[in-house]
Amino acid sequence: MNASEIIEEVETSLLDPSGQFWTPEELLSYINDAQRQIVNFKPEANAKVENVALEAGVRQSLPDLASQLIDVTRNTDGMAITAVDQRDLDRMMPAWPKAEASTEIEHYMYDDRSPATFDVYPPAREGTQVEVIYSATLANLTNTNAELSLGLQYRSAIIEYVLYRAHSKDTQAAVPQRAQAHYSQFQNLVTG
């Protein structure tokens, strides 16, 4: 899906095909914001799967482009990894962080308060590989011919968000009452 397709549809809806009140560059910035908002609501909207080499020990870092962990699915040799609550593991095995390092990870723990890291049990031997699913950071689109990062299923939500932002602008062509209706529709499309 190309940004210019979204911009054309929005310009038609706004009755501004010449870009007199909203420039294509301004609408492009709203598209960038729309994609980020969608990923905030649904991290899986920009999910990436990657084999990650673990560092020695318990604490692990997500790849540089990751904004949030979604799942640690398996060891790359195929053995499944399950998510556990760290407090449960602490109660059952208080010394779990001191367990012998292994190349077979059994569990992982993730805390939203530290979005760039996760912990593994048993502690990893350096170079152990696991499959990680994460929400990737979105790069800004820099021109109107750029391809959007999100899939076609988010097209309507992006359009609704761009219309919300356009009608929120202080200009004689905007209809502020429509802004809230477009934002509500955006939320329904993303979370519904």
Side-chain angles (χ1 to χ4, degrees):
M1 176 172 43
N2 191 288
S4 63
E5 298 168 31
I6 302 290
I7 291 169
E8 277 182 39
E9 186 161 336
V10 167
E11 286 175 335
T12 300
S13 182
L14 292 170
L15 304 175
D16 189 31
S18 64
Q20 178 182 355
F21 297 102
W22 297 275
T23 66
E25 293 75 24
E26 182 177 18
L27 296 176
L28 183 65
S29 76
Y30 297 165
I31 291 170
N32 285 325
D33 290 345
Q35 290 193 110
R36 277 191 291 280
Q37 287 300 315
I38 290 168
V39 171
N40 284 342
F41 280 111
K42 293 183 86 163
E44 65 273 15
N46 197 37
K48 305 293 180 209
V49 179
E50 184 177 330
N51 287 339
V52 174
L54 301 180
E55 300 163 17
V58 170
R59 180 67 35 102
Q60 304 300 322
S61 300
L62 288 174
D64 291 339
L65 294 178
S67 63
Q68 181 179 343
L69 181 69
I70 295 173
D71 198 5
V72 179
T73 56
R74 62 184 180 87
N75 291 278
T76 54
D77 69 2
M79 187 173 128
I81 299 174
T82 56
V84 297
D85 186 300
Q86 184 173 336
R87 292 172 295 205
D88 292 340
L89 196 57
D90 289 345
R91 278 191 294 277
M92 293 176 9
M93 300 171 49
W96 71 266
K98 295 180 181 180
E100 186 177 336
S102 176
T103 58
E104 294 292 327
I105 304 303
E106 296 175 32
H107 306 296
Y108 80 93
M109 293 136 285
Y110 181 67
D111 187 338
D112 291 339
R113 296 172 297 183
S114 179
T117 64
F118 63 99
D119 292 342
V120 295
Y121 172 81
R125 284 196 188 139
E126 188 167 346
T128 299
Q129 295 239 341
V130 297
E131 183 180 84
V132 174
I133 302 172
Y134 61 88
S135 181
T137 304
L138 291 165
N140 276 337
L141 304 178
T142 56
N143 68 68
T144 58
N145 292 317
E147 289 294 314
L148 274 63
S149 299
L150 303 187
L152 189 57
Q153 68 269 35
Y154 297 105
R155 185 177 197 280
S156 295
I158 291 168
I159 289 168
E160 290 297 330
Y161 188 86
V162 173
L163 288 168
Y164 150 70
R165 289 291 306 274
H167 283 296
S168 296
K169 182 178 177 180
D170 186 16
T171 179
Q172 66 186 23
V175 183
Q177 299 83 346
R178 289 188 184 166
Q180 188 56 47
H182 286 295
Y183 189 75
S184 292
Q185 185 62 19
F186 163 77
Q187 284 186 308
N188 289 339
L189 289 166
V190 174
T191 62

